[in-house]
Amino acid sequence: MNDQKKEGRYQRIFLQLEELLKKTEDPLARMASICAVLHHKMDHFFWTGFYLYKEGKLIVGPYQGPVACQELEKDKGVCWAAANSGSPVVVPDVHAFPGHIACDSRSKSEITLPVFDRKGAIKAVFDVDSDHTDSFNEMDQRSLEAILELIFL
Ligand code: SME
């Protein structure tokens, strides 16, 4: 899928989720809906989910895709890189990322984004794995950031 087509799809997903998430303010329910919609509508989203930030740990939360690691080893891998820096991380080739945690060997590229509450405290990391290399760029980052802002609206 080219970038223009993908961006259009993200925009339609955003509008769909904006409506859907009005039904409850519960962040876990909102996260679950975000994973389900994105996972089934975006090509190459092989694993789509949240790691919840709890008491200094990253514990798996709502997700779609193959079974994932329950808890991520502290300060290791792509999710922790996003949590510790407070910024999204795009990894075109997971094998080239030192410390990458492989929950499933079919994952080839990855994007992780921190999720903050209204006070700016980190609450989760959103993680998408693709079974193709180089699946994510700044457009994915921007589009996913807009979607994630719906969680704590
Ligand atoms: N690859 C992630 C771990 C989570 S799984 O991909 C679902 C990481 O390096 O943090």
Side-chain angles (χ1 to χ4, degrees):
M1 199 182 346
N2 67 34
D3 260 18
Q4 204 182 349
K5 193 170 167 204
K6 190 153 77 155
E7 191 163 22
R9 198 171 287 190
Y10 274 126
Q11 282 165 0
R12 288 190 295 281
I13 289 172
F14 177 89
L15 294 175
Q16 182 191 353
L17 282 167
E18 204 179 23
E19 279 310 303
L20 196 61
L21 302 190
K22 281 180 186 161
K23 310 276 191 310
T24 175
E25 285 195 4
D26 185 87
L28 263 188
R30 288 179 164 181
M31 288 180 197
S33 299
I34 287 172
C35 302
V37 172
L38 281 170
H39 191 77
H40 292 283
K41 293 209 165 159
M42 296 306 282
D43 300 345
H44 309 318
F45 276 36
F46 173 74
W47 192 90
T48 313
F50 291 86
Y51 276 89
L52 306 176
Y53 186 80
K54 288 184 173 178
E55 295 164 5
K57 296 177 175 183
L58 283 178
I59 313 275
V60 78
Y63 70 95
Q64 301 264 323
V67 174
C69 314
Q70 290 273 289
E71 183 180 332
L72 299 177
E73 187 182 329
K74 181 105 171 138
D75 297 337
K76 193 179 166 209
V78 192
C79 291
W80 271 110
N84 288 334
S85 65
S87 303
V89 180
V90 175
V91 180
D93 175 4
V94 295
H95 301 296
F97 189 93
H100 166 257
I101 299 170
C103 293
D104 191 298
S105 59
R106 288 168 289 181
S107 292
K108 302 263 190 330
S109 60
E110 182 162 358
I111 183 170
T112 61
L113 305 101
V115 178
F116 302 100
D117 68 11
R118 275 179 241 172
K119 293 180 191 153
I122 184 158
K123 288 293 172 189
V125 173
F126 183 59
D127 179 10
V128 185
D129 288 13
S130 165
D131 53 357
H132 286 58
T133 50
D134 206 12
S135 289
F136 307 107
N137 59 27
E138 280 183 14
M139 186 274 294
D140 295 271
Q141 183 183 315
R142 268 199 321 276
S143 305
L144 291 171
E145 277 173 332
I147 290 170
L148 295 172
E149 275 174 22
L150 296 171
I151 299 171
F152 286 101
L153 258 193

